[in-house]
Amino acid sequence: MNIETMNEVIVGIDLGTTQSAVGVVESGFPILLANEEGSRLTPSAVWYGKSGEVEVGALALRRQGVDHVITSVKSLIGRRFDEVDESEGVVRNGGGLLLESAAGTKSPEEVSAEILKKLKSVAETQLGGEISKAVITVPAYFHDGQRAATKKAGEMAGLEVVRILSEPTAAALSYGLERLDESSKVVVFDLGGGTFDVSVLEMREGVFEVLATAGDTSLGGDDFDEALTLFAADQLGMRWSDLDAMARVTWLSEGRRVKHVLSSAEEATFRVPFVGEISVSQDRFRKLLSDHLGRMESCCRRALLDAQVESGDLDSVLMVGGSSRIPMVRKKVAAIFGKEPDMTLHPDEAIARGAAIQAGILAGTVREVLLLDVTPLSLGIETMGGLMNILIPRNTTIPCKAGEMFTNAVDFQCSMKIQVLQGERELAKDNWELGGFELPFEASGRGQARVGVEFRIDADGILSVLARDVATGKDTVIEVGSSAVDVTEAKVERMVSQSVEFAFEDMNARVFEEARLKANELLPAVKMALSQVGDLLDRSELQEVAEARAKVEKALLGNQSALLKEGVECLDRATESMATLLIEKASRSVFSPQGD
Ligand code: ADP
Ligand code: MG
């Protein structure tokens, strides 16, 4: 009998905001598979007909303007209604959101699943067999909810998602680890259609590690199209609000065409039939983009800062994403990092090729290389006084786990609320709530209960939280991935910039809150001590205590952390001798039970 061992095929998928692609490793090389239109890139666009028909890719895109076509679903997946500013075609669904279509409302996962189904069928046609496993890439900046939702979309498309891979890691993989020496550091700069992502990676002992990552989930080529188009409309005396959907599609696609021309020409002409034309120079284009370029720069600087890497230490700056073709973007990147970026990667295909390589590694067709990723934002739980207690700091290499012991703050408390938070702010309320649960334990005196909380992040970046009541050994586990849709307001990048912007206020609030908790413990204790041993103190001591008390009480009414902290310290010092007296009194009553 002739037995042939065959490795199962796992495909690699770049599920992009504007374009998606699928690839596999064949004879050791990553190749992308072409769809029936002969293109290796499939537009991430989905159209639903009234009677349930679905079209994906270029076919769907052709209907834009005439019919409702869903695009850029990646910017909505795994996010909460309050988090997205695009409200057109988006309806609230509890905390989450749904998209409108002619066939009723659809979840972002369902829409993404249609794109994935299409890519699956492209691969099946090209490879001549059924495909059931895939590696899917997501921006490094995606939080747990977005990663989990992407995984779910894969499952809805009939794919087992064997790995969620960060895009910069995929880019570095397709650059080729063999081109990187031990401890070399690279930057992956990815500017696509709707998102911007910049990461610093390091090769250490043959292992690839993401040191830091930053980005902007709403910055990309679409913004450049829009800036160009709005400028042209204004110059041609057109009001954007007067244009209907069809006209806007025409204008925007002209904007995109002009943008592409400007990547290789000094000047381009924006032309709209029956309206007019206007010439756009590089200089004008630079002005239109200057805001965006500024935002890009601050993300790059933050990534370097977080990674604690000087631009002089960088071995390469890799540029990927369709918008990295814009000469002005390249110039800016060269200026920021102080070196010419490496343009050897294919801007549109590098991520999908990297995903294919990772898929090959997992399927056993490519030599194993270990890849490490990091957490984009800090993870923690809410503790007394509404403070954020970080368990896993931002930019921690995953997979990872971390734990801490907590206790009850109140006598006879019989449960504890565990609120899982993600973010960089000092106060719990300013961070995102990823989920929470009530952990019951046996009622006991204050500080007696022992609750261990452990956070675990698996290789896919999905977080699960385990809480254990030490007394009973009872565990409660939640997978936060699925409830992460309940994330509040702001976006990831806004969170990071706000943590810098409000660093001073936040710190002040934390110090105040900590001092307030201390004061609330101290004041009643001092009152009780005075009633017991107050008559043993001399006048000056009594006055010192009274002054310190007044100082604390006054500071509690205000919001100045320094004053309150100082007051609490004063009160602590002023009551030292009283504390000694109390202890003496207590021991006397122990040794002479009749009293003296
Ligand atoms: P995503 O990862 O967001 O799906 P891609 O990396 O595929 O996006 O990049 C798509 C973007 O690249 C689009 O905004 C497109 O207009 C832009 N793009 C493609 N080619 C060029 C070019 N020659 N000049 C400027 N922008 C380009
Ligand atoms: Mg991309």
Side-chain angles (χ1 to χ4, degrees):
M1 201 162 55
N2 197 359
I3 300 174
E4 199 181 12
T5 48
M6 254 191 58
N7 282 309
E8 59 179 342
V9 179
I10 305 179
V11 294
I13 294 177
D14 170 9
L15 185 60
T17 314
T18 34
Q19 323 190 75
S20 297
V22 57
V24 283
V25 170
E26 265 191 16
S27 332
F29 288 101
I31 55 154
L32 298 198
L33 305 166
N35 59 26
E36 62 243 44
E37 291 102 33
S39 171
R40 293 192 293 267
L41 299 172
T42 298
S44 306
V46 179
W47 169 82
Y48 289 96
K50 283 191 185 62
S51 36
E53 325 87 288
V54 184
E55 282 174 5
V56 177
L59 277 180
L61 221 44
R62 273 213 309 257
R63 298 179 179 269
Q64 231 179 4
V66 183
D67 247 357
H68 178 56
V69 178
I70 302 176
T71 55
S72 300
V73 68
K74 187 175 182 174
S75 62
L76 301 174
I77 197 161
R79 309 187 85 185
R80 204 181 129 98
F81 183 82
D82 304 340
E83 260 188 290
V84 300
D85 26 45
E86 199 91 8
S87 55
E88 213 175 308
V90 177
V91 292
R92 185 187 278 279
N93 175 39
L97 55 87
L98 291 173
L99 291 142
E100 280 166 351
S101 88
T105 53
K106 304 282 177 190
S107 69
E109 288 92 328
E110 277 176 282
V111 179
S112 296
E114 291 300 341
I115 302 167
L116 291 168
K117 272 188 220 163
K118 163 86 178 184
L119 298 170
K120 180 176 186 272
S121 96
V122 166
E124 286 173 343
T125 309
Q126 294 280 354
L127 301 171
E130 212 203 316
I131 300 292
S132 60
K133 292 185 175 184
V135 168
I136 303 180
T137 60
V138 296
Y141 236 63
F142 259 26
H143 57 61
D144 299 309
Q146 291 165 300
R147 285 167 196 256
T150 302
K151 202 168 180 177
K152 186 167 164 213
E155 280 151 16
M156 290 167 97
L159 289 168
E160 183 194 332
V161 182
V162 289
R163 177 67 56 91
I164 293 282
L165 180 68
S166 276
E167 286 161 11
T169 310
L173 269 178
S174 65
Y175 181 70
L177 298 180
E178 68 281 2
R179 290 167 72 177
L180 295 166
D181 291 333
E182 187 53 34
S183 81
S184 53
K185 297 186 178 77
V186 296
V187 161
V188 176
F189 176 101
D190 181 353
L191 187 58
T195 55
F196 168 55
D197 216 316
V198 58
S199 307
V200 184
L201 303 105
E202 183 181 7
M203 175 83 120
R204 255 191 228 151
E205 292 164 28
V207 162
F208 220 38
E209 192 174 333
V210 182
L211 296 182
T213 180
D216 193 324
T217 48
S218 50
L219 174 64
D222 293 348
D223 299 298
F224 309 158
D225 302 350
E226 199 181 286
L228 253 174
T229 307
L230 291 180
F231 165 77
D234 186 57
Q235 293 289 305
L236 294 170
M238 266 297 174
R239 275 228 306 269
W240 190 245
S241 54
D242 290 344
L243 297 175
D244 63 17
M246 188 64 220
R248 286 183 182 187
V249 169
T250 313
W251 280 73
L252 280 170
S253 63
E254 178 63 3
R256 175 176 290 204
R257 189 193 63 80
V258 169
K259 175 186 77 173
H260 288 194
V261 173
L262 284 171
S263 285
S264 52
E266 263 311 302
E267 213 171 62
T269 306
F270 193 110
R271 221 174 258 120
V272 179
F274 311 114
V275 179
E277 58 177 59
I278 132 170
S279 143
V280 185
S281 66
Q282 283 291 345
D283 206 41
R284 167 59 58 193
F285 190 39
R286 172 168 335 113
K287 285 188 185 119
L288 291 171
L289 255 58
S290 80
D291 249 19
H292 301 107
L293 293 178
R295 275 157 69 198
M296 240 173 53
E297 175 161 8
S298 31
C299 288
C300 293
R301 300 227 177 271
R302 163 157 277 274
L304 283 179
L305 213 68
D306 279 351
Q308 297 182 309
V309 168
E310 304 266 337
S311 50
D313 301 336
L314 293 170
D315 294 278
S316 284
V317 176
L318 311 179
M319 287 189 82
V320 292
S323 303
S324 67
R325 290 199 182 86
I326 300 172
M328 214 182 312
V329 170
R330 290 186 196 178
K331 255 184 238 155
K332 186 82 184 176
V333 169
I336 297 170
F337 296 106
K339 72 185 312 138
E340 277 308 309
D342 183 304
M343 299 299 302
T344 54
L345 287 177
H346 192 302
D348 310 303
E349 298 188 359
I351 306 287
R353 286 189 194 169
I357 294 172
Q358 175 70 73
I361 292 169
L362 293 169
T365 41
V366 176
R367 183 176 53 88
E368 175 95 39
V369 196
L370 202 56
L371 289 169
L372 299 175
D373 226 328
V374 295
T375 53
L377 291 172
S378 301
L379 294 159
I381 69 172
E382 175 170 349
T383 50
M384 276 271 285
L387 296 178
M388 164 77 162
N389 182 317
I390 293 178
L391 289 181
I392 299 180
R394 173 178 153 69
N395 283 327
T396 299
T397 303
I398 60 170
C400 62
K401 60 179 181 183
E404 206 169 312
M405 252 340 174
F406 295 93
T407 187
N408 54 330
V410 183
D411 273 337
F412 305 114
Q413 187 180 340
C414 54
S415 74
M416 192 184 281
K417 191 155 190 214
I418 310 266
Q419 304 266 63
V420 181
L421 304 172
Q422 183 172 35
E424 304 311 312
R425 305 290 301 276
E426 296 283 349
L427 297 186
K429 69 173 173 58
D430 295 323
N431 289 313
W432 304 359
E433 194 185 318
L434 293 185
F437 54 91
E438 198 78 31
L439 182 80
F441 47 78
E442 261 164 53
S444 55
R446 172 167 180 238
Q448 306 248 292
R450 288 277 172 276
V451 175
V453 176
E454 185 178 79
F455 278 26
R456 262 184 227 163
I457 306 180
D458 67 14
D460 294 331
I462 293 182
L463 169 72
S464 49
V465 176
L466 177 144
R468 171 175 296 169
D469 176 0
V470 176
T472 60
K474 193 178 166 303
D475 288 343
T476 310
V477 183
I478 57 161
E479 182 152 311
V480 176
S482 52
S483 56
V485 193
D486 284 332
V487 170
T488 48
E489 2 139 24
K491 303 173 180 152
V492 182
E493 77 274 16
R494 208 190 289 159
M495 165 66 73
V496 174
S497 64
Q498 280 179 348
S499 75
V500 178
E501 196 179 322
F502 295 112
F504 185 75
E505 287 93 328
D506 273 13
M507 217 13 151
N508 189 53
R510 172 180 279 272
V511 171
F512 188 86
E513 196 48 43
E514 281 169 355
R516 194 182 68 81
L517 291 172
K518 184 95 197 284
N520 284 346
E521 260 178 38
L522 215 48
L523 286 174
V526 168
K527 198 172 162 200
M528 201 181 71
L530 279 175
S531 72
Q532 291 188 5
V533 294
D535 48 343
L536 299 176
L537 296 178
D538 61 35
R539 257 188 63 191
S540 73
E541 275 177 320
L542 279 175
Q543 190 172 347
E544 202 190 329
V545 173
E547 272 169 14
R549 253 174 96 176
K551 205 169 183 174
V552 171
E553 274 159 359
K554 185 159 172 243
L556 276 174
L557 299 175
N559 62 356
Q560 284 186 276
S561 58
L563 277 185
L564 185 57
K565 200 174 164 210
E566 194 197 306
V568 168
E569 280 163 7
C570 247
L571 187 58
D572 224 3
R573 254 181 282 124
T575 52
E576 260 169 27
S577 57
M578 227 169 28
T580 321
L581 285 172
L582 268 181
I583 293 168
E584 277 172 14
K585 191 178 171 187
S587 45
R588 266 203 306 279
S589 59
V590 171
F591 294 119
S592 51
Q594 283 82 31
D596 44 10

